[in-house]
DNA sequence: CTACAGACTTGTGTCCATTTCC
DNA sequence: GGAAATGGACACAAGTCTGTAG
């Protein structure tokens, strides 16, 4: 930070009440804006654009109906997008093909349109092979060539990858404009295959402060607009053509603007901790309400609290994949079982959530919840809303009344963080080794990931890598017994001779045994951890739901180096927490 | 209330560099 | 030395939530 601040050439405008000019000030030691403004000074170079399309070499041909056909540059470019994806399952899907074909035709000349009338008769395979060869060639490049590319990337990063916001030089998150290509939605997306068009400077709005050096558009082009809105955090934006939504260029998570917000998020969750009992009592009471909308609200909130479900905004039908959250659950997504196995009042959830990830869970609920659900289901079709008198806006308005700043997602943050803290308390044994403590940490993290339904497909190489690890463990075990034998022999030898040399030998062997024991244990911990982690992804919860101060405090308390928990990027993002949290921090 | 724009967070998949393995 | 495994960085899609207009 010192170096960074020293090089600042801020104009006026650094009247943000900070320790401006103090070289080692961290943003979390500074005062915050109270008027809703996000910055006073903002200077950057604008985004990096995708290079213009380079037509294919003459020899690489596209064939229609078996005959080579030279395409116009615009049509060829879009064709290459498809050709690059030939190995992907996407290109076999009807919707993908239909959407692609429709958008491709828009790029064709009228002559091309008249010739190309059937996608099935299009042969992109030569193009596909060309791109494969290209990427192969890239892998085969010499060290020098690779180094050159690396340096060019670093140059681009240093020029465009940073901005100055108030008194800090900050890393920009995504300073590159998204390249054109074919849209790949997740799940069953109705728009998959559509052409994502090329973004030009004329599409881009720049946001910076008036008194900054404005970014220059590439030669011969203009920005759509240059504005100076310090109530928002983005540096540039454009409207994307698939959903018509706005894309932004914003700062890296290590930045003040993101860090402050993140910190604030956890403070809100901590305030929920103080009143969550009251809120729980209230919604249980509301299960008995005379009003349907209140009962629905109370049951939905119970699910959000107990199961960490997302809020579930309404979505425009046909625009996106059919996924739901709590408030948008439909009748077809739950099943009620008055009795199941040993349990009473079991609800089975089965639906596609965010990113079309399946949520499947069977949970026993209170009788009153169960009876309410039966009531909500009465006279409804499978595709009807379960909570027909509720949406996220109603729910959040209610939550706002219960606590300032409370929204549905705060429950996810709160429950995730409190679970981590409880699990850490429960699982950590003070005289465990560091690897054992790390296993406990990962187990606590895992409990959260399971709660939040952060699944992953088991890695393709999972079984094999488990086997490899087991082999290592077996080898280590053999080593250990060998070392133990040697120790025994050394002891016997020492007993016989009683000299210094043999005594030393015993010590050496003892150390060796100890070392191997440690290594073995470490491997065993690793194996357990990996096995338990087969279908669980820890990253998302670690990055977005767990108050980092809990982890930092845990590390300090047990003498675990922070690097064992957070990698470099994560340490940058959580620098505020690493600096602030002491070993007695309580979420 | 509904619809929509806008801003920001959360989430997965993929690419790529580094490490590990043989 | 090269191939395979691994983990981090990045891309960008898909959510949440707020505000505003009608």
């Amino acid at each position: 930070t010192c170096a960074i601040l020293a090089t600042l050439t801020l104009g006026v405008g650094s009247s943000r009440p900070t320790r401006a000019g103090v070289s080692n000030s961290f943003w979390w030691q500074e005062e915050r804006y109270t008027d809703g403004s996000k910055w006073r000074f903002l200077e950057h170079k604008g985004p990096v654009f995708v290079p213009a399309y380079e037509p294919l070499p003459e020899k690489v041909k596209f064939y229609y109906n078996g005959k080579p056909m030279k395409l116009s540059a615009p049509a060829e470019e879009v064709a290459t997008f498809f050709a690059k994806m030939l190995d992907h399952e996407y290109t076999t899907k009807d919707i993908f093909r239909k959407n692609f074909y429709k958008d491709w035709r828009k790029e064709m000349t009228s002559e091309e349109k008249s010739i190309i009338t059937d996608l099935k008769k299009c042969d992109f395979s030569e193009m596909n092979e060309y791109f494969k060869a290209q990427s192969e060639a890239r892998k085969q490049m010499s060290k020098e060539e690779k180094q050159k590319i690396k340096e060019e990337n670093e140059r681009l990063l240093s020029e465009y990858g940073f901005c100055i916001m108030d008194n800090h030089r900050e890393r920009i998150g995504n300073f590159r404009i998204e390249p054109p290509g074919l849209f790949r939605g997740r799940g069953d997306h109705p728009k998959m295959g559509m052409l994502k068009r090329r973004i030009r400077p004329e599409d881009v709005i720049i946001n910076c402060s008036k008194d900054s050096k404005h970014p220059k558009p590439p030669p011969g082009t203009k920005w759509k607009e240059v504005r100076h809105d310090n109530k928002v955090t983005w540096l540039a934006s454009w409207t994307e053509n698939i959903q018509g939504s706005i894309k932004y260029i914003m700062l890296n998570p290590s930045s003040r603007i993101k860090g402050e917000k993140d910190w604030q998020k956890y403070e809100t969750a901590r305030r929920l901790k103080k009143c969550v009992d009251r809120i729980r009592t209230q919604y249980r009471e509301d299960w008995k309400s005379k009003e349907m909308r209140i009962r629905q609200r109370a049951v939905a909130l119970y699910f959000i609290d107990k199961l960490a479900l997302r809020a579930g905004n309404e979505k425009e039908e046909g625009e996106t994949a059919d996924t739901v959250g709590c408030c948008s659950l439909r009748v077809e997504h739950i099943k009620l079982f008055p009795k199941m196995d040993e349990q009473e009042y079991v609800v089975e959830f089965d639906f596609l959530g965010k990113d079309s990830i399946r949520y499947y869970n069977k949970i026993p609920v209170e009788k009153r919840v169960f009876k309410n659900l039966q009531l909500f289901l009465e006279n409804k079709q499978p595709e009807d809303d379960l909570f027909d008198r509720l949406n996220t806006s109603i729910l959040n308005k209610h939550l706002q009344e219960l606590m300032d700043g409370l929204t549905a997602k705060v429950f996810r943050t709160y429950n995730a963080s409190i679970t981590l803290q409880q699990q850490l308390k429960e699982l950590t044994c003070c005289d465990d080794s560091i690897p054992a403590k790390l296993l406990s940490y990962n187990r606590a993290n895992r409990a959260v990931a399971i709660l939040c339904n952060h699944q992953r497909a088991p890695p393709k190489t999972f079984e094999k890598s488990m086997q490899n690890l087991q082999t290592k463990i077996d080898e280590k075990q053999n080593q250990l017994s060998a070392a133990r034998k040697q120790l025994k022999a050394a002891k016997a030898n020492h007993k016989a001779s009683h000299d210094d040399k043999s005594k030393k030998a015993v010590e050496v062997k003892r150390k060796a045994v100890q070392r191997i024991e440690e290594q073995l244990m470490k491997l065993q911990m690793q194996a357990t951890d990996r096995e338990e982690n087969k279908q669980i992804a820890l990253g998302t919860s670690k990055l977005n739901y767990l108050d980092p101060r809990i982890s930092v405090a845990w590390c300090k308390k047990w003498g675990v180096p922070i690097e064992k928990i957070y990698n470099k990027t994560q340490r940058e993002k959580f620098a505020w927490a690493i600096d602030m949290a002491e070993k007695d921090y309580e979420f």
Side-chain angles (χ1 to χ4, degrees), chain A residues 249-504:
Chain A
I249 290 188
M250 289 184 187
L251 298 193
N252 185 276
S254 63
S255 63
R256 185 210 103 225
I257 204 94
K258 294 289 184 191
E260 259 176 18
K261 203 68 190 298
D262 207 37
W263 180 10
Q264 192 188 356
K265 172 180 79 186
Y266 292 113
E267 289 310 304
T268 306
R270 292 174 86 197
R271 282 193 288 120
L272 174 57
K273 184 190 178 192
K274 288 187 200 149
C275 62
V276 73
D277 289 338
R278 191 192 88 220
I279 290 171
R280 285 172 176 162
T281 309
Q282 153 124 218
Y283 68 61
R284 300 175 71 91
E285 202 54 39
D286 287 347
W287 293 341
K288 299 182 256 178
S289 170
K290 285 189 297 257
E291 283 187 78
M292 185 59 128
R293 56 173 195 99
I294 292 179
R295 287 183 178 222
Q296 291 194 356
R297 199 179 66 191
V299 170
L301 184 52
Y302 167 74
F303 287 157
I304 285 171
D305 184 21
K306 187 181 175 81
L307 304 174
L309 299 191
R310 295 187 189 83
N313 283 312
E314 290 122 297
K315 315 205 297 179
E316 212 174 329
E317 213 173 320
E319 294 291 300
T320 60
D322 177 21
T323 63
V324 296
C326 185
C327 294
S328 50
L329 280 170
R330 299 192 296 263
V331 171
E332 59 196 311
H333 296 131
I334 66 164
K335 268 194 199 137
L336 304 183
F337 299 93
K339 262 220 168 78
M340 179 187 267
D341 305 327
E342 298 301 285
Q343 295 170 316
E344 282 193 310
Y345 309 123
V346 173
V347 185
E348 183 191 66
F349 292 83
D350 193 353
F351 61 90
L352 297 183
K354 182 175 178 179
D355 292 310
S356 295
I357 299 290
R358 186 177 180 206
Y359 183 93
Y360 181 81
N361 203 357
K362 274 185 286 200
I363 56 144
V365 300
E366 278 85 339
K367 181 176 179 187
R368 205 160 251 140
V369 171
F370 197 84
K371 294 287 167 195
N372 268 314
L373 288 170
Q374 287 178 322
L375 183 68
F376 303 160
L377 291 177
E378 263 173 33
N379 302 318
K380 280 188 192 167
Q381 300 298 310
E383 62 277 14
D384 290 341
D385 285 338
L386 171 64
F387 302 114
D388 52 298
R389 309 278 174 89
L390 183 71
N391 60 39
T392 54
S393 158
I394 296 170
L395 178 64
N396 279 333
K397 220 160 265 159
H398 171 64
L399 293 176
Q400 193 60 241
E401 283 163 16
L402 297 179
M403 185 194 104
D404 181 45
L406 187 60
T407 62
K409 84 189 185 84
V410 179
F411 282 88
R412 241 167 113 81
T413 312
Y414 161 71
N415 280 309
S417 287
I418 200 74
T419 301
L420 179 75
Q421 181 166 288
Q422 282 163 355
Q423 288 292 304
L424 284 176
K425 225 170 246 173
E426 232 167 86
L427 298 174
T428 315
C429 302
C430 73
D431 36 38
D432 268 352
S433 63
I434 296 226
K437 286 209 175 84
L438 287 172
L439 178 60
S440 302
Y441 181 89
N442 280 350
R443 283 179 163 162
N445 194 161
R446 212 134 43 225
V448 176
I450 289 167
L451 175 72
C452 294
N453 197 41
H454 292 141
Q455 305 183 18
R456 63 166 185 178
K460 284 178 226 76
T461 55
F462 185 83
E463 292 308 328
K464 192 156 173 244
S465 88
M466 270 327 274
Q467 268 173 21
N468 287 346
L469 203 51
Q470 192 53 49
T471 314
K472 272 187 177 174
I473 289 173
D474 295 344
E475 276 169 23
K476 209 38 99 181
Q477 238 142 13
N478 292 338
Q479 261 186 50
L480 183 60
S481 38
R484 281 192 175 137
K485 258 184 211 149
Q486 286 183 27
L487 174 62
K488 212 170 167 187
K491 275 182 180 165
N493 187 23
H494 176 56
K495 215 168 187 179
S497 60
H498 274 293
D499 58 5
D500 253 15
K501 197 175 153 202
S502 66
K503 190 177 171 189
K504 240 178 213 158

Side-chain angles (χ1 to χ4, degrees), chain A residues 151-173:
Chain A
E151 276 165 21
E152 172 59 15
N153 279 334
E154 280 164 9
R155 197 191 61 75
L156 221 58
L157 174 68
S158 66
E159 179 167 3
Y160 293 95
F162 293 84
C163 74
I164 293 169
M165 187 175 273
D166 292 349
N167 302 318
H168 301 273
R169 182 166 182 258
E170 306 261 37
R171 190 65 202 277
I172 298 171

